[in-house]
Amino acid sequence: MTDQRERILGCACDLYLKHGLDGLSMRKLAREVGVTAPAIYRHYGGREEVLADVLREAHRTFSRYLYAALGEPTQLDRFFGAGQGFLNFVIEHPRWYSIMHTAPEHLGMDKLPEDIEGMQSAIHQFWIDRVRECMDATILKDGNPEKTAITMWAHAHGMVQLYQEGCLPVSEEEFRMLFKASGARLMAGVATEAFARDLEGMVLSETDTGIQTG
Amino acid sequence: MTDQRERILGCACDLYLKHGLDGLSMRKLAREVGVTAPAIYRHYGGREEVLADVLREAHRTFSRYLYAALGEPTQLDRFFGAGQGFLNFVIEHPRWYSIMHTAPEHLGMDKLPEDIEGMQSAIHQFWIDRVRECMDATILKDGNPEKTAITMWAHAHGMVQLYQEGCLPVSEEEFRMLFKASGARLMAGVATEAFARDLEGMVLSETDTGIQTG
DNA sequence: GTCTATAATCCGATAGAC
DNA sequence: GTCTATCGGATTATAGAC
């Protein structure tokens, strides 16, 4: 029955969200479902298949948080709305964010299933689209949307990682403010204007970075 | 003999750097050293103690890469030199960078030993000092050095994480350029100057972010 | 200080009865 | 579809002989 498979997946998600990857073994999963271990193998080929389904759930939930912003009226609202959705997601579901950034071999896979890679590409593309339309609206400097998206992605991801690792000794509410303020700093730039002009003649001359003086 | 303890630590580092955390069990460590498992317990109280020593090695090596930049003559040289040292470290020793950002409970510890936390504080302070002296030299905008350091730290850390997770499908050499170009983008800012001015009236009014128009 | 032997747990996965 | 029973393996850690 596919009904039972869904029940198993639900228990697997509960177990993972509560106790992490180590807490999600086939035996514990069976106990949570209320059956014995071999029964699970009637519905899933093995642990790797279960983890793949859990990972799909994580991506679906993440996408829901992001796509909600598409209902906003302006490019800026959609951009900030997506950022707010991202922040809400990582704070409300740290473990789901975590499994999305766990190396496949740590999940017992050589590489991710194609459909999951497709979900990741779609999310990546979502951010590039938000950046591009903010460039069109002269909110972001004109340039290569993909590279600008990577810069902002790296900053957001790094902030979250540092927070979740305990490198930033702040409360949840303080982190929300820190995250936004740091994002604003990225948008406005941390270098003085005089030095930013010098920068163009240095590293920027070697590569296509999409930076313009505006 | 403390001689033997050092030999064990050396083997533990080799084992970890080659095969990761899962590859560093007491049994495998014993085999690498050339003795049986119980012998290790004469020199280390348990696996957790071994991991703590490996982690100390990681911090020591990282510090060496960073502090080399202190010999440079100008604030800018020291700043960029430290950035280059950071980049070299993460590319040459990804596993050492990784264990430095592994949650303590994943190393079998409730929390990190105090001396290791001290090493982390020293590194954190090193970056704040680099930022502060660049503010003094009007390279970076005046403001709160600690907060600006966090922004740049998050960006650098995020870039590395995305690269090491395979989210950035680039070669090592391409990543080096991408890392520097993205850092330049952070320094110069991604928003248009017009929008950056608007930003001050929005999120920045709520918090002390240290952003100034210059 | 190192050994043999072993305790006590955990894991993923399977065979075969019902 | 689920069960009992089990295989084959891993792990940390300890007891006691030498």
Side-chain angles (χ1 to χ4, degrees):
Chain A
M1 254 194 241
T2 197
D3 201 25
Q4 182 72 327
R5 184 173 162 124
E6 280 173 24
R7 232 168 56 82
I8 292 174
L9 176 56
C11 290
C13 290
D14 289 349
L15 223 45
Y16 167 71
L17 290 176
K18 252 185 272 185
H19 304 110
L21 268 186
D22 293 343
L24 180 46
S25 70
M26 296 302 268
R27 300 164 108 91
K28 287 175 184 166
L29 174 55
R31 184 148 29 95
E32 180 86 2
V33 176
V35 297
T36 57
I40 304 292
Y41 288 87
R42 286 286 149 182
H43 304 273
Y44 279 98
R47 185 174 186 253
E48 157 184 1
E49 259 187 42
V50 176
L51 289 178
D53 260 13
V54 172
L55 190 49
R56 286 184 186 95
E57 257 326 284
H59 280 88
R60 267 190 287 270
T61 305
F62 185 49
S63 299
R64 226 179 304 130
Y65 272 71
L66 291 188
Y67 293 171
L70 290 181
E72 299 291 330
T74 72
Q75 298 101 328
L76 182 60
D77 289 338
R78 287 191 286 277
F79 182 70
F80 277 6
Q84 184 68 54
F86 173 83
L87 183 57
N88 288 338
F89 177 78
V90 297
I91 286 179
E92 294 170 20
H93 308 293
R95 283 241 160 83
W96 270 359
Y97 187 75
S98 172
I99 200 176
M100 291 174 65
H101 293 275
T102 296
E105 67 262 26
H106 220 290
L107 303 176
M109 312 170 191
D110 296 342
K111 81 186 191 70
L112 294 180
E114 276 190 21
D115 66 306
I116 295 182
E117 285 193 340
M119 287 170 147
Q120 293 181 339
S121 297
I123 291 169
H124 189 179
Q125 189 59 48
F126 172 88
W127 285 114
I128 295 173
D129 291 342
R130 298 287 75 69
V131 168
R132 181 183 288 110
E133 68 177 15
C134 279
M135 286 179 175
D136 292 342
T138 69
I139 290 166
L140 296 180
K141 288 176 186 169
D142 212 4
N144 182 324
E146 186 164 355
K147 290 188 175 177
T148 297
I150 286 178
T151 298
M152 306 192 77
W153 184 20
H155 169 264
H157 181 60
M159 286 294 293
V160 169
Q161 290 287 120
L162 294 180
Y163 171 63
Q164 291 186 348
E165 285 162 16
C167 295
L168 305 178
V170 293
S171 71
E172 176 184 310
E173 201 47 47
E174 286 167 332
F175 175 68
R176 297 187 103 102
M177 295 198 304
L178 195 61
F179 182 88
K180 292 177 192 173
S182 193
R185 207 174 284 117
L186 165 59
M187 296 185 75
V190 296
T192 58
E193 290 182 15
F195 184 74
R197 275 189 295 273
D198 291 348
L199 252 186
E200 287 179 70
M202 301 169 62
V203 59
L204 300 192
S205 57
E206 310 165 16
T207 56
D208 164 30
T209 63
I211 294 190
Q212 302 190 356
T213 21
Chain B
M1 253 193 244
T2 198
D3 202 26
Q4 181 72 328
R5 184 173 161 123
E6 282 173 24
R7 232 169 55 82
I8 292 174
L9 175 56
C11 291
C13 290
D14 290 349
L15 223 44
Y16 167 71
L17 291 176
K18 250 183 274 183
H19 304 111
L21 268 186
D22 293 344
L24 180 47
S25 71
M26 296 302 266
R27 301 165 105 89
K28 287 175 184 166
L29 174 55
R31 184 149 28 95
E32 181 86 2
V33 176
V35 297
T36 57
I40 303 293
Y41 288 86
R42 286 285 149 184
H43 305 274
Y44 279 98
R47 184 172 186 255
E48 156 185 3
E49 259 187 44
V50 176
L51 289 178
D53 260 13
V54 172
L55 190 49
R56 287 185 185 94
E57 259 322 287
H59 280 87
R60 267 190 286 270
T61 305
F62 185 49
S63 299
R64 226 179 303 128
Y65 272 72
L66 291 188
Y67 293 171
L70 290 180
E72 300 292 329
T74 72
Q75 298 102 327
L76 181 60
D77 289 338
R78 287 192 287 276
F79 183 69
F80 277 6
Q84 184 68 53
F86 173 83
L87 183 57
N88 287 339
F89 177 78
V90 297
I91 285 179
E92 293 170 21
H93 307 293
R95 284 241 159 82
W96 270 359
Y97 186 75
S98 172
I99 200 176
M100 292 173 65
H101 293 275
T102 296
E105 66 262 27
H106 219 290
L107 303 175
M109 312 172 190
D110 296 343
K111 80 186 192 70
L112 293 179
E114 277 189 19
D115 65 305
I116 295 182
E117 285 194 339
M119 287 169 147
Q120 293 182 338
S121 297
I123 291 168
H124 189 177
Q125 188 60 48
F126 171 89
W127 285 115
I128 295 173
D129 290 343
R130 298 287 75 70
V131 168
R132 180 184 288 112
E133 69 177 15
C134 280
M135 285 180 174
D136 292 342
T138 69
I139 290 166
L140 295 180
K141 288 175 186 171
D142 213 3
N144 183 324
E146 187 163 354
K147 290 188 174 175
T148 296
I150 286 178
T151 298
M152 307 193 76
W153 183 19
H155 170 262
H157 182 58
M159 286 293 294
V160 169
Q161 290 288 120
L162 294 180
Y163 172 62
Q164 291 185 347
E165 285 162 14
C167 296
L168 305 178
V170 293
S171 72
E172 175 183 311
E173 202 47 46
E174 286 168 332
F175 175 68
R176 297 188 101 102
M177 294 199 304
L178 195 62
F179 182 88
K180 291 178 192 174
S182 193
R185 207 174 286 117
L186 165 58
M187 296 186 76
V190 296
T192 58
E193 289 182 15
F195 183 75
R197 274 189 294 273
D198 291 348
L199 251 186
E200 287 180 70
M202 302 170 61
V203 59
L204 300 192
S205 56
E206 311 164 15
T207 56
D208 163 31
T209 62
I211 295 189
Q212 302 190 356
T213 22

